[in-house]
Amino acid sequence: MKEGEIIEEEEILDEESKPSAKKSDETGKAEKRRLNLFRLISIGNATGQSFLFNFFSAFAVLVGVTTSALGFITSIRNLMGSLFQGTIGRLSDRFGRKYFLLLGFFLSFSIMIVLIFLNNPMMLIIISIIQATALSIIVPVWNATLGDVTKIEKRASFMGRLSAMGTAVSVSLMLVLAGVFYIIEEYGGFNVHLQFRDLIIFVPEIEPRLQYGIAFGVAAFNFVLCFIGALLLRETKKQGIQKSQPKMLLALRDKRFTKFFIINSLFGLIMSTMWPIFPIAQVSVLKMNFPQIAIVNAVFSVFFSLGLFFGGKLSDRFGRKPFIIYGRAAMFVIPLVMIGAVFMGNWQMLLLSNIIGGSAMGFITVSMNAYVLDIAPEEQMGAYSGLQQVGWGILTFIGSLSSGFIATAITNNAPFAEEEDKIRYMVIVMFSAIAILRFIASIGYFFIDESLPKEAREALKLKKVEEEVSAHPVHYTPEDSQTQSK
């Protein structure tokens, strides 16, 4: 049995990794257990990260983090989460995946436990730095782990299925938790009389901080499952001669990539200016509670998954560029919808922005990843992807950090006496400017080169048809002349 072997029912794995008919039933069962470990880790990681990202910023506003401090927290998470992914990925190529996964999941679990009990503003800054570091470990190493055991032509579908499973579980848990907290808010502190045998149940009140603490507890539990799964998982990196990795900066010699790199990084600068303001608008202006935030985030996750699923198929058929343009251009709608929600005082309008934003982000994610891999030489795929992440991380760091200070200045100089009115004024001004800037920045994507032009798509279709014909040839006979006419 070679390192990195695993069974997949739909034949997604390397031919050499498939079990032969001569292998024992015990070996087959062991490989099925290993596949289940992959599912466990993927679901646990998706659920843990989803609960952390969707509720951390809103919780920070709830415990009194200032706008400028929230900008710093958001920016440092962007920077740390992107800056070292390439380095960590190359280290895992050299030393193996398992111990890096264990370290990343242990850090994620640990900060969740700390977050439950210690949640003052200064501690949140420290937690955000550690969390971003853990993310920079988990993301590239887990992707490389999946790459170790899958066939190239079916790798995306396998990873897509795992992502879909993780999203389904995380959304389900989020909605269940939201439903429980909603019932408790409606009936909290009251005796609920049930018709069955006059049963009386006392429903206690749960304060908002405790609700978020429970959510972080769910995330911690999922990271524990990931740690256990990684502990039981055998090393997938096959040992052999290590090739020297090309430097990331070599990618800038490619004019097509350089154009895309500049346009995409500048859009990240504009994109990130909204991130520190959004949770303030939710909690301080719209007064959204935990169940409402959970519902909005669940809608985003569902449509993000749909965008991933359909975006991959459509971008293979029509090219990457149209869907990158659509995804980025749609981003300017989100702050506009938020402005409408603030004016009307109706949080339910955010469901529309999350439907648009979720599907657009799904299209962007799958199309942009494919775009970068399309234009990169095979031996430099890591360099291209790594440099893209570094550029995005640095520019979003600057954008989020600047946004926090700008928002604070607007709030302090707002022509209102009440603090709540000042914050509302700041949100409207910031989102108006961000909507305009996002629209202008999205125009740059019209100037990138298509990585999968029509000629290449037609050639791939022809190649696929030829492969299918060679695999399943049709034999004609003189008596079956109608077959040819059909």
Side-chain angles (χ1 to χ4, degrees):
M1 183 71 62
K2 296 181 180 180
E3 293 281 36
E5 291 184 357
I6 182 172
I7 291 178
E8 167 56 26
E9 301 92 316
E10 284 118 9
E11 299 181 347
I12 53 123
L13 305 181
D14 294 326
E15 294 293 335
E16 65 179 21
S17 298
K18 295 179 183 177
S20 66
K22 297 180 181 180
K23 289 187 177 181
S24 64
D25 292 338
E26 290 78 10
T27 302
K29 291 179 180 179
E31 296 303 326
K32 288 182 179 179
R33 286 195 297 269
R34 194 174 193 197
L35 177 59
N36 289 332
L37 286 178
F38 271 76
R39 291 169 174 161
L40 173 68
I41 295 172
S42 182
I43 292 173
N45 183 44
T47 304
Q49 299 289 356
S50 177
F51 270 71
L52 176 60
F53 280 114
N54 287 323
F55 298 115
F56 181 85
S57 295
F59 178 72
V61 175
L62 187 67
V63 299
V65 173
T66 63
T67 305
S68 56
L70 188 59
F72 175 76
I73 289 175
T74 306
S75 62
I76 199 67
R77 287 169 63 188
N78 297 334
L79 182 65
M80 296 295 293
S82 304
L83 195 57
F84 302 111
Q85 284 194 27
T87 301
I88 296 296
R90 287 194 291 272
L91 287 174
S92 73
D93 287 339
R94 182 176 181 182
F95 299 106
R97 321 292 189 200
K98 181 171 181 175
Y99 294 110
F100 285 99
L101 288 176
L102 289 173
L103 176 61
F105 290 133
F106 177 77
L107 288 175
S108 297
F109 163 73
S110 300
I111 61 172
M112 287 294 96
I113 297 300
V114 174
L115 186 58
I116 293 172
F117 298 102
L118 298 175
N119 45 45
N120 60 72
M122 182 56 66
M123 183 57 65
L124 290 183
I125 295 176
I126 298 174
I127 287 174
S128 66
I129 295 174
I130 299 175
Q131 180 270 325
T133 303
L135 182 66
S136 69
I137 296 173
I138 293 171
V139 170
V141 178
W142 178 241
N143 287 339
T145 301
L146 295 177
D148 290 339
V149 298
T150 53
K151 292 169 60 177
I152 293 175
E153 62 269 23
K154 294 188 177 181
R155 183 172 296 155
S157 62
F158 178 56
M159 296 174 71
R161 285 196 297 273
L162 287 181
S163 298
M165 291 170 63
T167 300
V169 172
S170 64
V171 168
S172 299
L173 286 175
M174 206 176 293
L175 291 177
V176 167
L177 211 57
V180 170
F181 290 157
Y182 173 78
I183 293 173
I184 290 175
E185 283 190 5
E186 289 294 313
Y187 302 102
F190 294 94
N191 292 326
V192 180
H193 296 264
L194 302 181
Q195 295 297 322
F196 182 71
R197 294 183 180 179
D198 296 326
L199 182 63
I200 299 177
I201 299 176
F202 179 74
V203 181
E205 293 183 358
I206 299 181
E207 63 174 4
R209 285 199 185 195
L210 182 56
Q211 292 179 2
Y212 284 97
I214 294 172
F216 296 142
V218 173
F221 175 75
N222 278 275
F223 286 130
V224 167
L225 293 180
C226 291
F227 183 86
I228 295 173
L231 193 63
L232 298 175
L233 191 67
R234 289 192 334 188
E235 177 58 60
T236 61
K237 181 70 177 70
K238 298 177 183 180
Q239 300 301 318
I241 300 175
Q242 299 293 332
K243 297 181 179 179
S244 59
Q245 298 290 325
K247 295 181 179 180
M248 286 192 297
L249 293 179
L250 290 177
L252 292 178
R253 297 180 181 178
D254 185 336
K255 292 183 179 179
R256 288 192 303 168
F257 177 77
T258 302
K259 185 193 300 183
F260 168 79
F261 174 79
I262 294 173
I263 292 171
N264 191 59
S265 298
L266 289 176
F267 190 90
L269 175 70
I270 304 302
M271 180 88 167
S272 61
T273 54
M274 182 173 170
W275 296 342
I277 315 301
F278 193 78
I280 294 174
Q282 286 181 312
V283 177
S284 299
V285 179
L286 294 176
K287 308 297 183 184
M288 293 176 65
N289 55 27
F290 184 96
Q292 293 166 349
I293 292 175
I295 291 171
V296 168
N297 289 330
V299 169
F300 180 91
S301 298
V302 169
F303 281 87
F304 176 72
S305 296
L306 292 174
L308 284 175
F309 179 78
F310 291 106
K313 294 179 178 295
L314 292 173
S315 68
D316 284 341
R317 184 174 181 181
F318 300 105
R320 322 299 188 195
K321 183 176 177 178
F323 299 100
I324 294 176
I325 293 173
Y326 158 73
R328 288 307 192 205
M331 291 294 102
F332 90 95
V333 177
I334 298 175
L336 291 181
V337 174
M338 175 59 83
I339 292 173
V342 169
F343 272 117
M344 299 180 64
N346 184 3
W347 70 269
Q348 294 174 346
M349 289 188 64
L350 299 187
L351 297 176
L352 174 62
S353 67
N354 278 270
I355 290 173
I356 298 172
S359 59
M361 283 302 299
F363 277 103
I364 291 169
T365 301
V366 68
S367 300
M368 193 166 292
N369 289 342
Y371 182 91
V372 174
L373 295 178
D374 288 345
I375 63 177
E378 185 175 354
E379 70 277 4
Q380 285 188 271
M381 286 184 178
Y384 277 57
S385 299
L387 187 58
Q388 177 203 3
Q389 289 297 322
V390 171
W392 181 265
I394 293 174
L395 270 294
T396 53
F397 168 82
I398 297 172
S400 296
L401 187 62
S402 302
S403 176
F405 289 113
I406 294 171
T408 300
I410 294 174
T411 303
N412 294 336
N413 293 279
F416 298 98
E418 297 294 331
E419 185 67 22
E420 186 173 326
D421 292 334
K422 288 184 176 182
I423 295 176
R424 187 171 181 270
Y425 172 80
M426 177 272 294
V427 168
I428 294 173
V429 171
M430 288 291 293
F431 282 1
S432 299
I434 290 170
I436 296 172
L437 291 174
R438 281 188 175 187
F439 179 77
I440 295 173
S442 67
I443 297 174
Y445 289 95
F446 282 93
F447 299 98
I448 65 174
D449 301 309
E450 174 59 71
S451 66
L452 191 64
K454 184 177 180 179
E455 301 78 22
R457 298 196 299 270
E458 294 297 330
L460 289 174
K461 288 181 183 178
L462 181 60
K463 181 180 179 181
K464 184 177 180 180
V465 171
E466 291 175 347
E467 289 176 349
E468 290 177 351
V469 170
S470 62
H472 306 284
V474 178
H475 300 284
Y476 301 112
T477 63
E479 292 80 10
D480 195 19
S481 58
Q482 289 185 355
T483 306
Q484 299 183 45
S485 64
K486 291 179 181 178

